[in-house]
Amino acid sequence: MEGASSWNALEWTKTESVSRSATHGMAEFLLEAEEVIVQGHGVVLVNTDTAGTLSVTNFRLLFLSEASRDIIELGTIALTTIEKFSKQIVKPSSVPRQLDRTQSQRLLQVFGKDLRIIVFGFRPRTKQRRAVFEALSRYTRPARLWDMYALTCGPSKFSNINPKLRLIKEYLRLLGKDSLSISSKKIDEGSIIVSNDWWRISTINSGYSLCSTYPSSLIVPRSISDEELQQAASFRGRGRLPVISWCHAGTGAVLARSSQPLVGLMMNMRSNMDEKLVAALCTQTVDGKGARRKLYIADARPRKNALANGAMGGGSESSSNYFQSEVVFFGIDNIHAMRESLARLRDYLDTHGSTSSDGMSSFLRHGGWSWGGGNLSSMSASVSTLGDTAWLNHVQSVLAGAAWIAARVALESASVLVHCSDGWDRTTQLVSLASLLLDPYYRTFKGFQALVEKDWLAFGHPFSDRLGIPTSSGSSISNLELSRQSSAGSLPRTSSVGSSSHSQVANNCSPIFLQWVDCVSQLLRVYPSAFEFSSAFLVDFLDCVLSCRFGNFLCNSEKERQQSGIADACGCIWMYLAHLRSSEDGSHVHYNAFYDPTKHARPLRPPAASLAPTLWPQFHLRWACPQEAQAGELESKWHFMRKSCTEMAKARDMSDMKAKDLQVNLESLAAQLQKEKQLSISAVATARRVYRENLAIKKAIEALGCEVHFSCNRSNQLDRGNIVPDIIEGFTSPLRWDSVDGKEHDDNDDLCVSIVARDEQLVSDNPISRVCETLCPYRTKEGCKWPDALCAQFGSQFVGLKANFDAFDRLSIRDCYFGSE
């Protein structure tokens, strides 16, 4: 595979300075409170032969593609996820085709705790690699806890609540008292008094004076007083006395944890209080016979290691000193063996993967050309087989031990006390994994959170030491302690000019928590319908833990986190993950598509044959074999189909809603149309009735020998037969007053109605007129003045007219009461 295309496309002929505040065009890619420290342009990601911009921020190493301006995930890694890094120089080959390349190529090799090896290429005669290397040396191992990004960013919208309150709620659930409510004030004061028939919550460690690495509240046997607990703690390493981690509220069986007993080299030291406390874990069974249950003491270490610890005052219990007990050794190796095993697995995946740190596929490793002309196939220490890594063997040992513990509790209703040396690494792995098998609640999102916060955080797994980050006291591995040594791998014609990593002597970093999550993924593979969460959730969760973006996993104990105010100063990982799930409801990839809580409502009892582990594709193979990590994954395909179906269902619902709205609108319009039709019919009937009445009045007036004339204040004479009422009881006439006779009339124009008598001779000949003349006192020489003289109303008392003369008095000057025939 020829990998020099991106390299040759870059024109670097002079030394360019690196801006330490280069944020131009980067705002859209940065997180909250994230700042660019150093930026290098024209850098090549050797793994994929991609040219782009490499930025070192206060949170991560960020690589943007030069062509697409997209974030390249392989080249982007959180600073705390970086285990070590080093500078390399690859000299040009002597092959004729490479003679035109006279400059050595500068490389920066980055090893991640998440099983990836990244290599960046820099052109010679630039200071970019030096600037990036110095920035990584400073920011990957900050000197103080307060320099961490999680504390710089603050809680943001993913604020945390009191972790102690969540722990007490989990204790109440275990004791069958989850209906009770405990206030934060009582927790802080250490005034909690809760118990059942066998166990109680003790606040003897509320000030962390009993054990600095234990939580402030403990579940202990009800028959043991706080004073006896104080005495028993002196017989256990670091004061980590036996306490209850999980209990069955119905049967009384428990999972207890502690550190090793201080029996000494001769294994002859004893403590009456310790033996009494351990015996109290073996309560009477509930079968009515009154027999005491059996106690198993599970020592996670190999037997020889337990005996060797006796020389330093530690050791293991003797079954003869503890009532009805049996001591079992699981043979799980220590943190250093796990760290070395994961490093070998990382090298194996890089060497035999499809996307390796030398930019070459494993199929072409023994032939062809590598990136830049140099053969980088030995950049990582080659591991011939997967078995040589021993990683899967270690995972199987943890799985088998946890399954054995869960089986003793579920099948025999026995109690099990688990410990190793300090009781915070292998002990935590076994107890939490066994609890996961026993209790279906821990296989849900809420239960998984409660399990991790109880057994890993509250009981003092030293996350700061295992992740290599500062503690609350400010101690960390400073830059002066970072060894500057040659790379462990041998590069043909390659020299190492600098490296930064932990000193192997004082290195307490170890992938203990990563290994436990790997074990959970193996159980998820064996029981795909028993877990509410998916493998994708475990990957994202583990990435968040390694990145230290949130404060939940900072420091080594609950005491340190409380003293540093981590809960108030940092964001919460659980709130963040819940926010991701809420964005897509039940279709998010974190949900297990095959989860069936009714199918696995009881403890899981995996047989030994089913515990043979395999590589975790979504995590182990995502960098070395990205296509194979997702290909053929039923869960991913189901989520894709589920998402498509959800989108189609939403579109259908929207269409149905629009159709319903249209139907409602049509019905409303039809009702309005029917109403208008009824009004129109009523108006027409009214208009016809008024017209007939008007016509009758008109004829009656004409019968009196008078004529009706209409006019406005503009002296516009109107035809007496052309006027139709404008508005009569809702009926609108097509002929409006403002357009009578084709002329425009103002609304203020007055309509005048005048009734004049016809020819005086004709009037006098009318019998009614003669009567009127006789009776009318207002008769003048000019003739009849009716109706101006108001005599018609007076005369109507004597003349038998049927016309309603009062209507004439009430005539409005704008009303038209007469229309044409």
Side-chain angles (χ1 to χ4, degrees):
M1 172 181 174
E2 180 62 37
S5 58
S6 296
W7 184 267
N8 293 333
L10 302 174
E11 297 295 335
W12 288 94
T13 58
K14 60 181 180 179
T15 302
E16 296 196 9
S17 61
V18 180
S19 172
R20 295 187 179 273
S21 60
T23 59
H24 179 67
M26 295 290 295
E28 60 180 308
F29 304 106
L30 300 179
L31 302 173
E32 183 180 1
E34 185 178 12
E35 299 176 355
V36 175
I37 308 302
V38 172
Q39 194 172 74
H41 300 277
V43 180
V44 175
L45 178 61
V46 178
N47 304 61
T48 58
D49 193 25
T50 304
T53 301
L54 181 64
S55 303
V56 179
T57 73
N58 58 340
F59 171 61
R60 56 183 169 171
L61 199 62
L62 180 63
F63 186 77
L64 298 179
S65 171
E66 191 175 75
S68 63
R69 291 294 294 172
D70 293 331
I71 294 180
I72 306 300
E73 292 187 5
L74 176 60
T76 301
I77 183 173
L79 299 181
T80 56
T81 309
I82 298 175
E83 180 180 328
K84 59 183 179 180
F85 52 92
S86 62
K87 294 187 289 185
Q88 303 287 343
I89 295 179
V90 177
K91 297 180 180 180
S93 174
S94 60
V95 181
R97 65 180 292 181
Q98 303 291 339
L99 290 179
D100 58 332
R101 301 179 187 175
T102 58
Q103 296 292 339
S104 300
Q105 294 163 2
R106 270 62 176 171
L107 305 179
L108 178 64
Q109 191 176 18
V110 178
F111 294 82
K113 301 172 186 175
D114 57 353
L115 297 175
R116 57 176 148 174
I117 300 177
I118 316 169
V119 177
F120 298 102
F122 300 82
R123 277 295 189 181
R125 293 177 302 155
T126 66
K127 297 181 180 179
Q128 294 188 112
R129 186 180 68 160
R130 178 189 300 175
V132 171
F133 184 85
E134 291 177 352
L136 289 178
S137 300
R138 177 182 177 184
Y139 286 93
T140 54
R141 299 292 182 267
R144 301 180 308 161
L145 177 66
W146 297 101
D147 294 331
M148 299 286 295
Y149 169 77
L151 289 111
T152 303
C153 178
S156 184
K157 60 182 178 180
F158 307 114
S159 58
N160 202 350
I161 63 174
N162 189 356
K164 291 184 179 180
L165 181 60
R166 294 199 294 265
L167 179 63
I168 292 298
K169 288 183 178 180
E170 175 59 15
Y171 281 173
L172 294 177
R173 187 191 71 87
L174 292 174
L175 296 179
K177 304 289 185 178
D178 47 350
S179 60
L180 298 178
S181 179
I182 305 296
S183 64
S184 299
K185 182 179 180 180
K186 287 187 175 181
I187 296 175
D188 295 336
E189 294 176 351
S191 57
I192 303 174
I193 303 176
V194 179
S195 64
N196 63 9
D197 294 338
W198 297 296
W199 325 114
R200 68 182 178 92
I201 297 178
S202 172
T203 57
I204 186 177
N205 199 39
S206 58
Y208 305 103
S209 58
L210 179 68
C211 178
S212 61
T213 57
Y214 264 9
S216 59
S217 303
L218 304 169
I219 299 181
V220 296
R222 186 176 181 179
S223 59
I224 303 297
S225 65
D226 286 349
E227 292 74 14
E228 291 173 324
L229 293 176
Q230 189 78 45
Q231 298 178 37
S234 61
F235 188 68
R236 294 283 171 168
R238 304 181 186 273
R240 297 175 65 91
L241 72 162
V243 294
I244 296 170
S245 175
W246 180 87
C247 58
H248 194 290
T251 65
V254 302
L255 282 178
R257 58 182 300 165
S258 68
S259 62
Q260 63 181 345
L262 303 180
V263 296
L265 179 61
M266 304 303 295
M267 299 288 180
N268 57 356
M269 300 296 294
R270 298 180 61 176
S271 169
N272 292 332
M273 281 301 146
D274 182 77
E275 294 173 10
K276 181 179 179 180
L277 174 59
V278 173
L281 300 176
C282 302
T283 60
Q284 293 182 348
T285 59
V286 294
D287 56 4
K289 298 180 181 180
R292 298 181 67 87
R293 69 185 73 250
K294 186 174 183 179
L295 171 69
Y296 290 95
I297 300 177
D299 194 327
R301 302 167 294 181
R303 183 187 295 269
K304 61 179 181 179
N305 291 19
L307 296 176
N309 272 273
M312 297 180 289
S316 187
E317 297 87 350
S318 173
S319 58
S320 60
N321 296 335
Y322 292 87
F323 176 77
Q324 203 169 341
S325 65
E326 179 181 345
V327 180
V328 181
F329 293 91
F330 287 162
I332 302 174
D333 287 324
N334 59 22
I335 61 172
H336 308 292
M338 302 304 175
R339 180 181 63 248
E340 295 169 359
S341 176
L342 186 68
R344 290 193 297 268
L345 176 62
R346 179 177 56 204
D347 293 339
Y348 170 81
L349 295 173
D350 181 72
T351 304
H352 300 282
S354 60
T355 303
S356 303
S357 60
D358 58 2
M360 179 185 297
S361 172
S362 60
F363 298 104
L364 302 176
R365 191 166 304 285
H366 301 292
W369 301 98
S370 62
W371 184 85
N375 184 4
L376 305 182
S377 60
S378 299
M379 178 168 288
S380 302
S382 178
V383 180
S384 58
T385 65
L386 180 61
D388 293 340
T389 68
W391 178 258
L392 296 183
N393 293 337
H394 294 316
V395 170
Q396 187 174 20
S397 297
V398 177
L399 283 171
W404 186 91
I405 294 172
R408 301 287 75 77
V409 176
L411 298 178
E412 302 178 17
S413 190
S415 293
V416 182
L417 171 63
V418 185
H419 71 76
C420 51
S421 296
D422 295 316
W424 53 39
D425 288 313
R426 290 165 286 191
T427 299
T428 305
Q429 286 181 322
L430 292 171
V431 170
S432 57
L433 204 59
S435 300
L436 195 72
L437 292 170
L438 289 169
D439 198 334
Y441 173 69
Y442 291 140
R443 301 194 285 271
T444 64
F445 283 111
K446 291 183 178 180
F448 186 79
Q449 174 184 347
L451 178 66
V452 172
E453 289 191 316
K454 173 173 64 71
D455 281 319
W456 289 90
L457 294 172
F459 277 96
H461 176 70
F463 278 100
S464 286
D465 292 345
R466 299 298 176 258
L467 296 176
I469 58 178
T471 62
S472 61
S473 60
S475 61
S476 66
I477 300 177
S478 65
N479 292 333
L480 296 177
E481 294 172 326
L482 297 176
S483 61
R484 307 279 183 174
Q485 57 186 3
S486 300
S487 175
S490 58
L491 287 171
R493 308 192 65 182
T494 301
S495 61
S496 173
V497 298
S499 65
S500 181
S501 63
H502 282 102
S503 174
Q504 296 300 320
V505 177
N507 190 356
N508 287 322
C509 292
S510 186
I512 298 300
F513 188 71
L514 185 154
Q515 187 179 59
W516 179 77
V517 178
D518 193 347
C519 292
V520 176
S521 74
Q522 303 293 338
L523 294 177
L524 179 58
R525 174 181 58 83
V526 177
Y527 299 100
S529 59
F531 296 82
E532 184 182 11
F533 47 83
S534 66
S535 180
F537 166 78
L538 294 177
V539 173
D540 290 345
F541 169 66
L542 193 54
D543 284 342
C544 289
V545 173
L546 295 177
S547 70
C548 296
R549 179 181 174 183
F550 306 97
N552 303 74
F553 295 88
L554 299 181
C555 303
N556 287 326
S557 64
E558 179 185 282
K559 176 184 178 181
E560 291 185 5
R561 282 185 288 273
Q562 180 177 344
Q563 291 176 343
S564 303
I566 296 297
D568 297 327
C570 301
C572 178
I573 185 175
W574 309 111
M575 297 293 292
Y576 170 73
L577 295 174
H579 174 73
L580 293 181
R581 295 194 300 272
S582 64
S583 61
E584 300 181 21
D585 298 329
S587 61
H588 194 271
V589 294
H590 287 180
Y591 286 94
N592 181 9
F594 310 106
Y595 177 56
D596 184 4
T598 60
K599 185 177 181 180
H600 298 286
R602 296 185 177 184
L604 302 179
R605 300 197 299 268
S610 66
L611 296 176
T614 62
L615 287 179
W616 180 11
Q618 291 85 350
F619 185 80
H620 293 149
L621 302 181
R622 60 172 171 165
W623 306 121
C625 309
Q627 294 182 353
E628 289 73 11
Q630 301 297 334
E633 186 181 354
L634 291 177
E635 191 173 354
S636 297
K637 293 182 178 179
W638 184 92
H639 279 293
F640 176 77
M641 295 177 63
R642 171 78 176 270
K643 188 175 182 180
S644 300
C645 292
T646 302
E647 293 176 354
M648 293 175 63
K650 289 181 179 179
R652 183 194 62 190
D653 293 341
M654 291 183 64
S655 299
D656 292 343
M657 188 177 299
K658 290 181 179 179
K660 290 180 180 179
D661 292 341
L662 289 175
Q663 182 68 23
V664 171
N665 292 336
L666 287 176
E667 293 176 356
S668 177
L669 289 174
Q672 293 180 5
L673 184 61
Q674 184 67 20
K675 184 177 180 181
E676 292 292 337
K677 184 177 180 181
Q678 295 294 334
L679 292 175
S680 176
I681 295 174
S682 176
V684 170
T686 302
R688 289 176 179 176
R689 179 175 55 81
V690 172
Y691 173 75
R692 288 193 297 268
E693 292 177 355
N694 293 342
L695 186 60
I697 294 173
K698 176 184 175 183
K699 290 181 178 180
I701 293 174
E702 289 179 347
L704 295 175
C706 301
E707 291 182 352
V708 181
H709 298 279
F710 298 91
S711 63
C712 64
N713 56 1
R714 296 183 181 179
S715 301
N716 292 331
Q717 189 70 25
L718 303 178
D719 184 9
R720 64 181 181 179
N722 289 341
I723 304 304
V724 181
D726 185 20
I727 299 176
I728 303 177
E729 297 182 10
F731 173 78
T732 303
S733 171
L735 180 60
R736 299 294 300 268
W737 160 243
D738 54 5
S739 60
V740 175
D741 294 342
K743 298 179 181 180
E744 296 295 330
H745 296 276
D746 193 279
D747 289 339
N748 295 324
D749 293 344
D750 294 334
L751 176 64
C752 299
V753 180
S754 62
I755 303 175
V756 297
R758 294 178 181 174
D759 184 59
E760 184 70 20
Q761 185 64 32
L762 293 175
V763 174
S764 61
D765 294 339
N766 193 304
I768 299 178
S769 298
R770 289 196 296 270
V771 175
C772 185
E773 285 182 18
T774 304
L775 298 177
C776 181
Y778 301 101
R779 179 82 176 178
T780 64
K781 296 180 180 180
E782 287 80 8
C784 181
K785 297 299 181 179
W786 183 84
D788 296 333
L790 303 178
C791 60
Q793 184 174 3
F794 175 76
S796 65
Q797 299 177 19
F798 306 97
V799 180
L801 294 178
K802 298 299 182 181
N804 185 2
F805 290 99
D806 290 335
F808 288 100
D809 293 338
R810 294 193 302 270
L811 278 176
S812 172
I813 59 175
R814 297 185 184 180
D815 293 337
C816 300
Y817 279 85
F818 305 100
S820 61
E821 297 180 1

